[in-house]
Amino acid sequence: MMFIKATYIDTNEECFINSDYIVDIFVNEQTLELVGGKTYRYVAYTFDNERRGYAIGKDEFIRLLVNG
């Protein structure tokens, strides 16, 4: 089990998500701009189908690939 730092897209709240529950990660061609000037290209989706997605940074994405 590994937790990664993320930002919930709908509310711009920072959180940690359990990598065991990530179903998909999409790499956007353009960056996703959230409140506060933060930009992301990676959006993770979990088993919770009521949530839109979680923006994750490139470092977190690479950490998932290496440790996944």
Side-chain angles (χ1 to χ4, degrees):
M1 174 187 324
M2 177 173 51
F3 288 89
I4 62 169
K5 188 175 181 180
T7 302
Y8 182 52
I9 291 174
D10 280 346
T11 63
N12 294 308
E13 292 180 87
E14 290 188 355
C15 60
F16 290 89
I17 55 175
N18 184 337
S19 63
D20 292 344
Y21 298 113
I22 294 174
V23 178
D24 294 309
I25 297 177
F26 289 92
V27 182
N28 296 323
E29 287 185 24
Q30 297 181 1
T31 57
L32 174 68
E33 294 185 34
L34 298 177
V35 172
K38 295 181 183 178
T39 58
Y40 299 91
R41 288 191 57 205
Y42 305 90
V43 179
Y45 295 91
T46 63
F47 284 117
D48 185 355
N49 63 358
E50 294 180 13
R51 301 239 182 210
R52 257 185 77 203
Y54 299 88
I56 60 174
K58 182 177 182 178
D59 292 342
E60 294 296 321
F61 178 69
I62 291 171
R63 191 166 73 107
L64 278 172
L65 291 178
V66 172
N67 298 318

